[in-house]
Amino acid sequence: MRGNAVSVGNRYSSRNGNINNSNYNGRGGGWNNNSGRGGGGGNRNSWQGGRARDQQQPHSTNINNINTNNNINTNQQQQQQAEAPPDTEPALRVLSFYEQGTKISFACYNEDTNEIIFEDTTASNGNDTERVIQNVLLETRPNLILVGNKVVANVPLLDCLTTLPPTGEEGSDSSNENGGSGDAENNQQQQQGNAQQQNTTTTTTTNNIPYQLLKSSAFEPRQCRSVILHKLRVLTLMRGQTPMTGNSDNFAHAQNMTSHQNYNTTPGMHTNTLPTSNFHALASIINFDSPTLIRALGSLLIYLRNTAFRLEEGFTVTVNSIRRCPASSTYLRLEESTLRTLRIFATDHHPLMSNNNGKGNMKSKEGFSLFSLLDRTKSKSGRERLRQWMVQPLRDVNMIKQRHVGMDLFLHPECHPSVSLVLERLSDVGSMDAILLRMQRCCAQPNDFLVLGRMLDASYAIIATLSGELRNKAYKLDRENGEQQMDTTQDGEQQQQMQEYPSVAYLDELLRRCHVPITRNLRERMASIIDEEVTAETKDHVVIHYGFHEELDRAKETFETLDETLSEVGRQVLAKNEDLISLKVVFLPQVGFLVSIDTRQHAHDEATNTFPNIPEDFEFVFIQENDAFFKSDEMNALDEEIGDLDAFIKDTEAMIVSDLEEEILECESELRSTFSALADLDCILSLAGVAADLNFVKPEIASAEEGVIYIENGRHPLQELIVDNEFIPNDTVIDNNNRVMIATGPNFSGKSCYARQVGVLVYLAHIGSYLPADSAKISVMDQIIVNFGDVETCSVPQSTFQRDLTQMAGIMRKATPNSLVLIDEFGKGTAPTSGIAVMTSAMQRLAQSKCKVVCTTHFLEMFSLGLLKDGKDGIKAVQMSIHVPESDEDDAVPLFKLEDGVASSSAGLVCARMAGLNKKVVDRAAGIITALKEGKQVRPLPESVNANSPFQPNVRSVIRLFLAVDSWQDASDEDIDLLQELVGRM
């Protein structure tokens, strides 16, 4: 297909149609054109619908000329245009979509509100992808979608984009409820029921999509990043500007006001007066570390510059605001900085990877992280599912409680024998996705069938354990313990079962997802076809069981006795032809059976290549070195009776294996569901094992409306493993009345560790894990945002303090009442006065936003000067206690215990002494602190006064005394007498 842009469907077009070409001319260098130089023009291929219901002219600010070729004659087009009502052209809503791996990003421009909506999320499977795309389409309602080549080549993804999402509250709720990554299969029956209902209401709408799909090549990362930094102007980020919404008239007014009032543009001045880069302001909203988001947003801006904003000076895209779309509300939002600060993952690379720029076959390994702590899975699929759980923490209270039910069951002592059997068989479970992928590509190996057989055997053994002994114990425990009822929205018998027998209901749900009859029949079918023992020995092909295919069995038997058969036929031919001295009967592929004689033992006329003594029925075939090969009546009979046995056997076995692959692929959904359930089971057992060994407890999960974080004697799960002595636990009390917790104390008292501890424990609660604490009650959050000192880098054009400010600006824009914010020593990169002012203002702003905050700081002046008051406006002051000795000979001892109140000091001199600084340096620092507190002048060091002085000692004494007195008008009589005495000695 020529060109770089493919438009899929008209504005109201069918999903299935003909591919036609359309040309457009546009300014700027936004497109990778094939038909013009520079950025002057290009072309696009249009996949137009077969039945265009509403043929309209392009938007006035969009592409100028679009010559469609829709198999509709001119009269029909004119008639449609005449019947179209005037001034009904909708506002431009163009969406740019980009997908790479598990990352999905989009950016949408809405002309009505003149704003850009974007999202950057993770979709680990097809259900997540479909859910995100449906939420995006429902939120943005685009009439044009920009996609890249990879999206066009991805048929399932393109199908999601060209399928209208269900409208109404019912469809939206179902998409949010069924969006779990590993638990999506738990609601499969409900999904099928919803799908049947939706099919009855959306049959007429799914055939036609009310938007175009335009294939764009403007996804080059450098170009996208450059256009974002230099050509995007957001009015809400400018000084003195407020968000503006409304129609295009307001947008034009915003352009006029911005260009003439804010930047004082001189009429006729061609040079752009905008700043060269908007990185500092945009970095608080846009994650420039996300390549998918940069490409989606950059492609959108490139399109807008060439169309709707092509008349603006410098092709600058000016919008009122830019905001994030809540497309992934099912999961707790975690940014890369949050994962890094909480050390959720830690990848250690081999040192030699630097030799080839990270490319090659060298694999990295997981370092000391929360994932390595929780990963006790036995199967590869279980490990992948656990990582998926940790990347996508849940926000659904019932789904978190379901994981707790499973952990409660498997942690019970009576279930330990059954759990041991399950863990033993889980080690035989491999990667089902890889096996099915190779079968779909027709490149499956013999070992794949052996591994699949072992996996099915293991699944059957696990299912038997779950449905037998373990289920009976679960029923007994539920009856005895009287488990608390779970909050659920389900009705009928299933709700009653989950309330009265939660453990039994949990096992039944796992068993339902395992599709026992189908997998058992498939395993029996494979066992009847494949001879696994012989296949494991040969390793080069799949061997079929004897008795499965009669004709194949006969061929194998004949092939096994072929040597004896050929020897007997050779003796018969030799006895029949007494003139022959010796002969051999051989088989050659594609030729058949032949008689071979030695030319040295028989008369041979080399000139005519004839054999006088050869029988007349021998037909010469060819000669090779000293052997001549002939066809005879006996050889022809062998060709008819036996034929090419080896090829027949291999072809027949390949045909049987191919049919078996088709049968396996027919059960693909059931196999994926079964081993997805086993992967979830592996994760639950892994979390349960960690909880049992490390003394974790089950937290109480509260709704987001309660907004509480109550933790009694919480411990950092990683820190307690590496401390020399016993880890000191601490409590956490955060609710709507005490929203902002500000922790003060010395540098080494454990403030930062405590802030991370709160974040880690809240995170663990959202993945369904138990917590290292005595008890806990935690409400579900929508995101965890951090502002911790990041790694220094020269790749970002910002200073350390500027990065802190950018992160804080992002926190203020992103934080909601259901967000947890972790801040570590914000404002320390500038002058103390400025840092205190910015820190105080930021805490007051976060307190007003009602988000939950844990902040560490050394700015004690915020409380001592009355800028913040403990216990008012949701602010709670706490301190890390420390024992400071009275004598200078003893070192201070941190107690690592959290207490109420504000620390008296940061104990900087104590830290300096413990760090080994010179005693004179520490004493001098103490003198400076004393002078500053008393408001006196800091006296210079005697060494600095005496060193290299041109004065005599008596003169230096007079100068020192003179400088030591602040005002000689108010000097005492003793100072005056001493000065006179020293002057007299000169």
Side-chain angles (χ1 to χ4, degrees):
M1 217 180 286
R2 292 186 56 197
N4 65 320
V6 173
S7 175
V8 185
N10 204 350
R11 203 181 69 84
Y12 291 99
S13 60
S14 173
R15 293 173 55 191
N16 299 321
N18 299 322
I19 299 178
N20 303 308
N21 296 326
S22 298
N23 299 322
Y24 77 95
N25 295 318
R27 296 178 58 187
W31 306 100
N32 182 14
N33 303 312
N34 295 328
S35 60
R37 291 181 295 178
N43 59 74
R44 65 182 180 180
N45 297 324
S46 178
W47 180 6
Q48 300 289 357
R51 293 176 57 190
R53 299 192 305 166
D54 188 6
Q55 189 74 17
Q56 297 185 3
Q57 293 295 330
H59 193 270
S60 60
T61 60
N62 205 328
I63 303 170
N64 292 331
N65 296 318
I66 302 180
N67 299 322
T68 57
N69 183 13
N70 290 327
N71 298 326
I72 302 177
N73 57 36
T74 305
N75 295 331
Q76 291 176 335
Q77 292 181 357
Q78 293 177 353
Q79 181 179 1
Q80 290 178 355
Q81 293 175 2
E83 294 176 356
D87 300 331
T88 59
E89 183 67 26
L92 178 64
R93 293 188 302 273
V94 54
L95 182 142
S96 177
F97 182 87
Y98 193 82
E99 180 262 351
Q100 184 176 10
T102 60
K103 290 290 186 179
I104 292 180
S105 298
F106 72 89
C108 179
Y109 171 73
N110 190 335
E111 191 179 24
D112 283 334
T113 58
N114 190 35
E115 67 175 354
I116 292 178
I117 306 173
F118 72 92
E119 181 57 285
D120 181 29
T121 185
T122 301
S124 55
N125 54 36
N127 292 330
D128 286 347
T129 302
E130 184 177 1
R131 175 187 57 80
V132 170
I133 292 177
Q134 287 186 355
N135 291 342
V136 168
L137 296 179
L138 285 173
E139 178 72 19
T140 60
R141 296 293 180 181
N143 46 33
L144 177 64
I145 299 180
L146 306 177
V147 295
N149 293 328
K150 291 184 178 180
V151 176
V152 175
N154 191 335
V155 177
L157 186 59
L158 190 63
D159 186 65
C160 291
L161 286 173
T162 55
T163 302
L164 283 180
T167 58
E169 297 180 356
E170 181 179 355
S172 301
D173 294 340
S174 64
S175 64
N176 289 333
E177 292 176 1
N178 300 334
S181 58
D183 298 301
E185 295 83 354
N186 293 339
N187 302 319
Q188 185 176 5
Q189 291 180 347
Q190 183 178 356
Q191 289 177 346
Q192 293 176 355
N194 293 339
Q196 293 176 358
Q197 296 176 0
Q198 294 169 4
N199 288 338
T200 60
T201 58
T202 61
T203 302
T204 58
T205 59
T206 56
N207 292 331
N208 300 293
I209 54 175
Y211 48 79
Q212 295 176 335
L213 256 67
L214 185 68
K215 190 175 77 170
S216 169
S217 61
F219 288 96
E220 200 277 323
R222 287 189 178 182
Q223 184 184 18
C224 292
R225 183 183 179 91
S226 177
V227 74
I228 293 173
L229 292 177
H230 299 284
K231 298 301 180 182
L232 175 61
R233 184 166 55 180
V234 184
L235 298 184
T236 55
L237 298 180
M238 297 178 180
R239 181 177 302 176
Q241 292 295 325
T242 57
M244 292 183 299
T245 59
N247 54 21
S248 58
D249 295 336
N250 291 335
F251 165 57
H253 174 68
Q255 288 180 314
N256 185 34
M257 179 185 65
T258 303
S259 60
H260 291 282
Q261 294 181 7
N262 287 353
Y263 293 97
N264 298 321
T265 305
T266 304
M269 183 177 179
H270 181 69
T271 58
N272 189 5
T273 58
L274 286 174
T276 57
S277 176
N278 298 324
F279 181 84
H280 300 312
L282 294 176
S284 63
I285 302 178
I286 302 170
N287 182 14
F288 283 92
D289 294 331
S290 174
T292 55
L293 177 59
I294 295 301
R295 293 185 177 190
L297 181 57
S299 176
L300 173 66
L301 296 178
I302 291 172
Y303 176 82
L304 293 176
R305 291 180 66 219
N306 292 325
T307 54
F309 291 84
R310 67 183 183 275
L311 299 180
E312 187 169 353
E313 181 181 0
F315 301 100
T316 302
V317 178
T318 304
V319 296
N320 288 340
S321 63
I322 179 171
R323 63 181 177 89
R324 185 181 293 272
C325 173
S328 57
S329 58
T330 306
Y331 304 118
L332 179 72
R333 184 185 301 278
L334 298 172
E335 297 180 350
E336 292 295 332
S337 58
T338 304
L339 298 175
R340 196 165 48 245
T341 299
L342 302 183
R343 203 166 180 84
I344 307 301
F345 303 101
T347 304
D348 293 340
H349 298 283
H350 194 279
L352 295 180
M353 290 189 69
S354 59
N355 295 339
N356 54 3
N357 297 324
K359 299 178 181 179
N361 297 325
M362 289 183 242
K363 296 182 179 180
S364 58
K365 64 178 182 179
E366 186 69 23
F368 184 65
S369 63
L370 197 62
F371 176 71
S372 64
L373 176 68
L374 300 179
D375 182 22
R376 297 190 180 184
T377 55
K378 300 298 181 180
S379 62
K380 183 178 180 181
S381 59
R383 178 183 175 88
E384 294 174 352
R385 179 58 53 82
L386 180 61
R387 177 177 287 273
Q388 179 181 326
W389 281 12
M390 298 184 69
V391 171
Q392 298 175 327
L394 298 174
R395 293 186 59 213
D396 188 288
V397 176
N398 289 331
M399 295 177 69
I400 296 176
K401 289 184 177 181
Q402 287 178 11
R403 295 180 181 179
H404 289 170
V405 169
M407 295 177 64
D408 286 341
L409 173 63
F410 299 134
L411 285 174
H412 199 278
E414 294 187 11
C415 299
H416 288 177
S418 301
V419 170
S420 299
L421 295 176
V422 172
L423 289 174
E424 183 180 355
R425 297 314 303 265
L426 278 174
S427 58
D428 295 331
V429 177
S431 177
M432 174 58 64
D433 294 337
I435 295 176
L436 293 177
L437 181 60
R438 284 191 288 269
M439 289 185 179
Q440 291 171 349
R441 295 178 176 178
C442 300
C443 59
Q445 302 297 321
N447 189 56
D448 290 337
F449 295 93
L450 302 180
V451 172
L452 179 58
R454 290 194 295 267
M455 291 173 61
L456 291 174
D457 290 338
S459 66
Y460 188 75
I462 294 172
I463 292 170
T465 304
L466 295 179
S467 60
E469 182 180 0
L470 195 58
R471 191 179 186 279
N472 295 333
K473 291 181 179 179
Y475 180 79
K476 177 182 177 182
L477 295 175
D478 287 343
R479 291 290 300 270
E480 293 177 355
N481 298 334
E483 292 287 343
Q484 297 180 355
Q485 295 183 356
M486 294 179 56
D487 296 332
T488 178
T489 58
Q490 297 175 349
D491 298 325
E493 298 180 357
Q494 187 174 3
Q495 179 184 11
Q496 182 180 1
Q497 183 185 21
M498 293 190 66
Q499 291 178 347
E500 297 180 357
Y501 307 102
S503 300
V504 175
Y506 174 79
L507 292 179
D508 289 345
E509 179 62 23
L510 278 178
L511 295 173
R512 182 192 63 80
R513 294 169 56 192
C514 288
H515 302 281
V516 178
I518 296 178
T519 55
R520 181 174 60 243
N521 295 336
L522 180 61
R523 178 54 183 150
E524 293 176 354
R525 178 68 172 172
M526 293 180 60
S528 64
I529 295 177
I530 301 176
D531 191 337
E532 297 181 356
E533 183 177 354
V534 180
T535 302
E537 294 176 356
T538 57
K539 297 181 180 181
D540 57 347
H541 69 283
V542 177
V543 180
I544 307 301
H545 255 308
Y546 182 83
F548 177 76
H549 195 282
E550 295 182 0
E551 189 175 357
L552 178 63
D553 295 339
R554 290 194 298 268
K556 286 184 177 181
E557 293 175 354
T558 305
F559 187 79
E560 291 175 357
T561 61
L562 184 60
D563 293 339
E564 292 81 0
T565 302
L566 297 182
S567 299
E568 179 63 27
V569 172
R571 286 192 293 270
Q572 295 177 1
V573 174
L574 186 61
K576 177 181 177 181
N577 302 280
E578 298 179 353
D579 295 337
L580 299 177
I581 300 175
S582 64
L583 61 84
K584 294 183 295 184
V585 178
V586 298
F587 173 80
L588 296 180
Q590 308 299 327
V591 179
F593 293 94
L594 299 173
V595 174
S596 172
I597 63 174
D598 192 344
T599 57
R600 295 169 297 181
Q601 297 178 355
H602 300 80
H604 176 215
D605 188 356
E606 296 182 0
T608 60
N609 198 19
T610 58
F611 296 85
N613 298 329
I614 293 300
E616 295 181 357
D617 61 337
F618 274 38
E619 180 182 356
F620 177 75
V621 179
F622 66 93
I623 188 171
Q624 183 178 12
E625 295 181 354
N626 296 325
D627 292 325
F629 297 89
F630 301 86
K631 277 286 187 181
S632 65
D633 296 337
E634 292 80 1
M635 299 302 105
N636 293 328
L638 288 176
D639 289 339
E640 293 292 335
E641 296 176 2
I642 299 178
D644 194 344
L645 283 180
D646 185 63
F648 174 78
I649 294 173
K650 291 181 179 179
D651 292 344
T652 304
E653 288 183 337
M655 180 187 64
I656 296 174
V657 171
S658 178
D659 293 340
L660 179 60
E661 288 181 353
E662 293 295 333
E663 295 181 19
I664 294 174
L665 293 177
E666 289 177 358
C667 304
E668 178 182 358
S669 60
E670 289 80 5
L671 290 174
R672 291 186 184 276
S673 176
T674 298
F675 289 98
S676 176
L678 296 183
D680 290 346
L681 176 63
D682 198 1
C683 293
I684 292 294
L685 292 174
S686 177
L687 297 178
V690 174
D693 293 343
L694 301 182
N695 193 24
F696 287 8
V697 299
K698 181 173 72 171
E700 179 184 353
I701 305 300
S703 62
E705 289 73 15
E706 295 189 37
V708 297
I709 302 177
Y710 296 152
I711 302 174
E712 180 182 359
N713 290 330
R715 312 185 306 274
H716 195 295
L718 297 178
Q719 193 71 25
E720 70 172 340
L721 298 179
I722 60 176
V723 295
D724 296 332
N725 301 319
E726 183 181 358
F727 186 87
I728 306 300
N730 282 295
D731 298 341
T732 302
V733 178
I734 300 176
D735 50 30
N736 293 326
N737 296 325
N738 298 317
R739 301 183 296 273
V740 181
M741 177 184 290
I742 301 178
T744 57
N747 283 313
F748 56 94
S749 59
K751 301 187 305 299
S752 300
C753 179
Y754 174 76
R756 289 187 174 94
Q757 172 184 310
V758 175
V760 169
L761 266 59
V762 172
Y763 168 82
L764 287 176
H766 284 76
I767 66 173
S769 172
Y770 284 11
L771 305 185
D774 291 348
S775 63
K777 180 180 180 180
I778 298 176
S779 296
V780 290
M781 303 289 171
D782 59 0
Q783 57 185 334
I784 300 178
I785 319 174
V786 301
N787 184 352
F788 272 62
D790 212 342
V791 180
E792 296 290 338
T793 176
C794 60
S795 61
V796 178
Q798 288 181 310
S799 64
T800 302
F801 182 61
Q802 183 66 48
R803 283 203 303 274
D804 287 345
L805 292 175
T806 300
Q807 291 180 359
M808 182 59 69
I811 289 175
M812 292 181 180
R813 289 188 172 92
K814 301 172 187 175
T816 67
N818 296 327
S819 301
L820 175 62
V821 180
L822 308 177
I823 302 174
D824 183 47
E825 299 185 11
F826 170 71
K828 63 182 180 180
T830 185
T833 304
S834 301
I836 293 172
V838 176
M839 179 70 172
T840 303
S841 179
M843 292 300 101
Q844 293 173 344
R845 178 67 180 85
L846 292 176
Q848 293 175 1
S849 66
K850 298 183 180 181
C851 61
K852 312 304 181 291
V853 181
V854 178
C855 174
T856 66
T857 183
H858 289 284
F859 292 147
L860 309 180
E861 294 81 359
M862 292 191 303
F863 294 97
S864 62
L865 298 178
L867 303 177
L868 296 177
K869 294 184 179 180
D870 184 14
K872 295 190 66 176
D873 300 326
I875 295 177
K876 177 65 176 177
V878 294
Q879 62 173 327
M880 280 291 182
S881 58
I882 178 176
H883 173 69
V884 181
E886 296 180 357
S887 64
D888 295 339
E889 302 298 331
D890 299 329
D891 292 333
V893 179
L895 303 179
F896 304 112
K897 196 65 179 177
L898 195 68
E899 299 176 350
D900 293 339
V902 182
S904 58
S905 68
S906 294
L909 297 182
V910 178
C911 297
R913 186 168 55 250
M914 295 178 62
L917 286 182
N918 188 281
K919 187 176 184 301
K920 292 183 179 181
V921 176
V922 177
D923 294 341
R924 174 61 174 169
I928 294 174
I929 292 176
T930 302
L932 293 176
K933 286 183 177 180
E934 297 177 355
K936 295 182 179 180
Q937 183 179 2
V938 179
R939 297 186 178 185
L941 289 172
E943 303 90 286
S944 63
V945 176
N946 297 332
N948 301 323
S949 176
F951 302 103
Q952 296 296 326
N954 293 335
V955 178
R956 292 198 297 266
S957 300
V958 174
I959 295 174
R960 282 198 300 270
L961 177 59
F962 183 80
L963 295 176
V965 178
D966 295 336
S967 175
W968 281 99
Q969 294 180 354
D970 301 330
S972 62
D973 295 339
E974 297 178 357
D975 291 337
I976 296 176
D977 294 339
L978 180 59
L979 179 63
Q980 292 177 351
E981 180 182 353
L982 293 177
V983 172
R985 295 178 183 177
M986 293 176 57

